[in-house]
Amino acid sequence: MTLNHWAKYILCTATLLVTLPAVSQTDFCNDTAKHSKLRDAMWAACSQDDSHKVYAACWAYQAHCIECKDNTGYYDSWVCGVMYNLDRLNIHDAYHIANTMKDDLVRRRDVAKDEQYLAPKMLGHVYNACGNIPGALKEFEKAIELIKGTKYEKDGLSFLYLGMAHIQLNNNSAETLKWLDKDLEELARNKDQKDYWRGLTDAYAMKAIVMFKKRRYADFHKYIALAEQSDAKNANPQGDIFLPYARIYQTLLNGNAQAALAEVENLSNLKERYLVSCDIYTYLGNTDKAFLLQRELMHTRDSITGVIIAENIQNQEEEMFLLNQKQKAARIMNIVLVIAMVLALMLIVALALSIYGRRRYQEMLLTKNKELKRAYKQVAAADEMKTDFIRSVSHEIRTPLNIINGFTQVLMEPNAEFEPEERQSLADTIGKNTRQITSLVNKMLALANEHTKDLLKDVEETDALDICHKALSAMPPVNPDRVSLELVDQAEGHSKTLTTNSDSLLQMLGNILENSAKFTDDGYIRLILSKDKNYFHFTIEDTGCGIPSDKIGTIFNRFTKVDEFKEGLGLGLAYCHETVAKLGGTLVLDQTSAAGTTFTLSLPIKLKTNN
């Protein structure tokens, strides 16, 4: 590794170690004299061929900018290192520094948001220097998008357009002119930018160069005159990039070819020396000399591709000689290698099949284990559900039975005398609890038969309004002074006949109305019958306590109870939901709140059956 490489790696490593996680940045350093001195020393070192001094100057300026929290100056030091190496076609070093700078920008993204465009910009310059035109264009397009909306857009966007034009200067003059026009438009929008006249000078100078390459010499003189006029107003003429090249072409057109070639030797950028010299010799008609310079440029470029090509060319004759000498041995070796490869391939396939089979077997075992665990959980859940069910049923039946038994014994006492009202009250209580037990048994039987009974076998033409009357008559009694029962016929004037299982419909309406009676203490319970083209709708509204939000998603599951302290097993809505689906309909919870609940049960007017 050369000393130049060591200096570069030391600079990049030291930079990463000393970089502080700055939380803010300033556009100007407090110690402006020191800042300007270090900056000028850095750029002055670039005109020399001593890489140690260049890297040392970059390091010193960078450390100062870190201390001042000046991101602009901090990344200028990176740019200086890249451009120094590009001028000398040290593309390896330039590429390494540009990528290290890219890593630094990613690491410091939070404090260097506006500077993110610099990484693709520098990589674009590197790709352009080594001849990778598509790569350079792609990187500059990224830089253009990243600079927009930042504090650098006003002063920097036009120079990116200029860079896009420069990349295609020797390949596509139409694209070059297109980007130069965009550059001039951007400059016209920002005449107050600090490098306005310098940018204008470079744009006109490059237009003049394009005209020279297209042999439009009158236009060349026009644009170089505009460039010179702009440069006269330029406060930083040392920063001109393309005007020195245009002046060389002007010297050539004035008839002084030797002076033009002498001026080429003063250019700092080695690649541009070759390209401008090629243009001069092409203009003079010496195409052989121009071709030799182009070839020399290709071999001078310090790019990875160039190194590989050079190494291949250098070793080609030796490799061909060795191949000719060992051709016979190579054939034998090839046969041996083919056999070895076939055997190795067979071994690999066998191992792969073995591994695949073992893995499949393990996957099958894991799948079976998961299925067994899932089945065990289901059995455990079913067992727990069975236990809970038996416990709930025992409780629900024992309580009314105890009441019936107790009140029956009271009535049967020989000396007991009761007023008619008291006797009636005892009879009502016994009747109520008897109905409760009967309802509970009916629900369990209905739910048990729901899986085995074919409901579609017993379908018949049914009077929907008659079913509504029966359901209201069969529902548990409510206090008529506090709760009113209402039947609203919104299908009045239309046929009330539908084809369905009337017993199941009556059972479903009874379950829903029973719930309404259970949870409604004041207000009303309303059964609304309505009809559309294909369905009868049975809507049950009440002004009860509503369903808690955590129960809404499970109210149609078996054994789900809204209130654990109310009688019942939580089977009514489950039966309704499962049965209505078999009858081709739906059961929907329309709304529920503290002000009441509304369910709608819908059944088709003409139920389609297998018969």
Side-chain angles (χ1 to χ4, degrees):
M1 183 179 288
T2 64
L3 198 59
N4 181 44
H5 283 77
W6 279 112
K8 175 255 299 182
Y9 289 133
I10 292 171
L11 169 65
C12 295
T13 304
T15 298
L16 291 173
L17 291 174
V18 303
T19 301
L20 299 175
V23 296
S24 62
Q25 65 184 59
T26 57
D27 292 329
F28 303 100
C29 180
N30 292 329
D31 189 353
T32 54
K34 181 180 179 181
H35 191 90
S36 299
K37 179 180 178 182
L38 291 172
R39 181 192 60 209
D40 294 343
M42 177 183 70
W43 289 111
C46 288
S47 62
Q48 306 175 25
D49 288 328
D50 190 340
S51 60
H52 302 286
K53 291 183 179 179
V54 174
Y55 292 140
C58 290
W59 188 2
Y61 181 57
Q62 193 175 88
H64 173 74
C65 291
I66 291 172
E67 183 180 351
C68 293
K69 299 185 177 74
D70 178 10
N71 273 354
T72 302
Y74 171 73
Y75 285 108
D76 275 347
S77 66
W78 291 92
V79 172
C80 178
V82 174
M83 299 310 295
Y84 169 78
N85 284 288
L86 289 181
D87 283 346
R88 287 151 185 81
L89 284 180
N90 297 328
I91 297 175
H92 276 141
D93 293 356
Y95 181 74
H96 180 83
I97 296 174
N99 272 296
T100 309
M101 173 186 179
K102 179 180 178 181
D103 293 340
D104 182 84
L105 281 163
V106 172
R107 185 171 58 85
R108 301 180 70 241
R109 182 182 296 274
D110 291 341
V111 295
K113 293 179 181 178
D114 288 351
E115 288 79 13
Q116 294 299 311
Y117 79 97
L118 287 171
K121 176 185 176 184
M122 289 297 102
L123 284 171
H125 282 307
V126 173
Y127 291 153
N128 184 32
C130 66
N132 183 0
I133 303 303
L137 292 172
K138 185 176 180 180
E139 293 299 326
F140 261 81
E141 287 171 357
K142 292 180 185 176
I144 289 171
E145 292 303 316
L146 288 172
I147 200 174
K148 292 179 180 179
T150 69
K151 65 178 182 179
Y152 300 104
E153 179 180 2
K154 180 179 178 181
D155 294 326
L157 183 57
S158 62
F159 285 98
L160 290 178
Y161 291 154
L162 187 69
M164 289 290 285
H166 179 222
I167 291 170
Q168 302 182 90
L169 179 60
N170 296 296
N171 302 282
N172 192 329
S173 59
E175 282 295 305
T176 300
L177 291 173
K178 183 190 81 172
W179 285 104
L180 286 173
D181 290 338
K182 294 193 71 170
D183 179 20
L184 291 169
E185 291 173 4
E186 183 66 21
L187 288 168
R189 284 194 292 269
N190 298 284
K191 292 185 177 181
D192 57 338
Q193 65 164 281
K194 60 182 180 180
D195 287 323
Y196 170 74
W197 292 109
R198 174 190 164 194
L200 206 60
T201 300
D202 282 329
Y204 285 135
M206 190 182 293
K207 275 207 169 188
I209 294 171
V210 173
M211 295 302 124
F212 177 85
K213 290 178 180 291
K214 297 180 72 172
R215 301 178 184 272
R216 291 165 54 180
Y217 301 123
D219 290 332
F220 169 84
H221 289 297
K222 167 188 171 183
Y223 284 116
I224 196 172
L226 291 173
E228 294 289 2
Q229 292 173 14
S230 301
D231 193 52
K233 301 177 182 179
N234 183 12
N236 181 25
Q238 293 82 8
D240 292 342
I241 301 174
F242 298 105
L243 184 57
Y245 305 149
R247 286 169 175 166
I248 293 174
Y249 293 124
Q250 187 178 40
T251 301
L252 178 63
L253 290 176
N254 289 338
N256 197 341
Q258 293 302 318
L261 289 169
E263 290 177 17
V264 169
E265 297 303 317
N266 295 326
L267 296 176
S268 61
N269 190 298
L270 186 57
K271 173 190 170 186
E272 298 298 338
R273 289 185 205 170
Y274 281 107
L275 294 176
V276 175
S277 296
C278 287
D279 287 341
I280 292 174
Y281 283 115
T282 300
Y283 174 80
L284 295 174
N286 191 347
T287 54
D288 290 340
K289 181 67 175 178
F291 173 76
L292 289 174
L293 286 172
Q294 284 280 9
R295 185 176 179 182
E296 185 178 350
L297 172 61
M298 181 187 70
H299 289 290
T300 304
R301 283 173 170 165
D302 182 19
S303 65
I304 297 174
T305 304
V307 170
I308 293 173
I309 292 172
E311 289 176 351
N312 288 339
I313 293 173
Q314 183 179 357
N315 297 324
Q316 187 175 11
E317 292 184 0
E318 294 179 6
E319 291 176 356
M320 291 299 296
F321 176 77
L322 291 173
L323 287 173
N324 290 331
Q325 291 293 321
K326 298 178 181 179
Q327 187 174 13
K328 188 175 181 179
R331 286 199 194 99
I332 298 173
M333 185 60 67
N334 287 338
I335 294 172
V336 173
L337 287 174
V338 168
I339 295 173
M341 289 176 64
V342 170
L343 292 174
L345 183 61
M346 292 174 63
L347 179 60
I348 291 171
V349 171
L351 288 173
L353 289 173
S354 176
I355 294 171
Y356 176 75
R358 186 174 299 177
R359 184 171 296 174
R360 287 282 297 171
Y361 180 70
Q362 291 176 346
E363 290 176 353
M364 289 174 60
L365 285 178
L366 289 173
T367 302
K368 290 296 183 183
N369 286 336
K370 289 179 180 178
E371 290 176 356
L372 288 173
K373 288 180 180 179
R374 188 158 48 247
Y376 174 76
K377 288 181 179 179
Q378 290 174 352
V379 170
D383 186 64
E384 184 178 353
M385 185 181 293
K386 180 191 70 174
T387 303
D388 291 341
F389 174 72
I390 294 173
R391 188 182 299 114
S392 298
V393 169
S394 300
H395 172 75
E396 293 296 332
I397 293 178
R398 186 188 300 115
T399 301
L401 279 177
N402 287 337
I403 293 173
I404 293 170
N405 184 49
F407 279 89
T408 303
Q409 290 179 3
V410 170
L411 287 171
M412 293 178 64
E413 286 183 3
N415 299 324
E417 295 182 2
F418 300 97
E419 295 293 331
E421 293 82 3
E422 292 177 334
R423 187 176 297 277
Q424 183 61 42
S425 176
L426 292 173
D428 290 343
T429 301
I430 293 172
K432 175 184 176 183
N433 285 275
T434 302
R435 286 192 300 273
Q436 183 177 333
I437 294 174
T438 303
S439 174
L440 181 62
V441 172
N442 288 337
K443 287 180 183 177
M444 289 190 292
L445 288 174
L447 196 61
N449 293 331
E450 186 262 336
H451 291 286
T452 58
K453 186 177 180 181
D454 187 357
L455 301 179
L456 300 182
K457 286 185 177 180
D458 298 325
V459 298
E460 58 185 356
E461 289 192 353
T462 303
D463 189 320
L465 186 60
D466 181 57
I467 292 292
C468 292
H469 283 293
K470 290 180 179 179
L472 287 173
S473 299
M475 68 178 288
V478 295
N479 188 342
D481 297 330
R482 302 180 62 180
V483 179
S484 64
L485 298 179
E486 302 175 12
L487 174 59
V488 179
D489 181 10
Q490 293 184 353
E492 189 174 356
H494 299 278
S495 172
K496 306 296 191 302
T497 302
L498 74 160
T499 304
T500 190
N501 188 308
S502 58
D503 293 337
S504 297
L505 174 57
L506 181 60
Q507 181 71 40
M508 290 188 289
L509 292 178
N511 289 348
I512 301 172
L513 288 169
E514 183 179 339
N515 284 343
S516 295
K518 191 186 304 181
F519 293 101
T520 304
D521 296 327
D522 292 287
Y524 63 85
I525 298 173
R526 182 178 297 147
L527 174 56
I528 303 172
L529 175 64
S530 59
K531 180 183 179 183
D532 58 25
K533 183 178 180 181
N534 298 312
Y535 287 88
F536 268 104
H537 303 286
F538 304 85
T539 302
I540 297 93
E541 297 178 355
D542 64 53
T543 54
C545 59
I547 300 172
S549 58
D550 60 332
K551 300 283 188 178
I552 291 175
T554 59
I555 56 169
F556 296 125
N557 295 345
R558 297 187 182 190
F559 310 113
T560 298
K561 298 180 65 174
V562 173
D563 187 345
E564 297 295 333
F565 298 100
K566 294 284 189 178
E567 69 272 6
L569 295 176
L571 297 175
L573 288 177
Y575 167 81
C576 296
H577 192 258
E578 295 174 13
T579 302
V580 74
K582 290 188 175 184
L583 295 175
T586 59
L587 175 60
V588 178
L589 172 62
D590 292 328
Q591 67 84 26
T592 183
S593 65
T597 302
T598 303
F599 284 95
T600 297
L601 188 149
S602 302
L603 286 174
I605 297 174
K606 293 291 184 181
L607 177 61
K608 295 181 180 179
T609 65
N610 294 332
N611 295 330

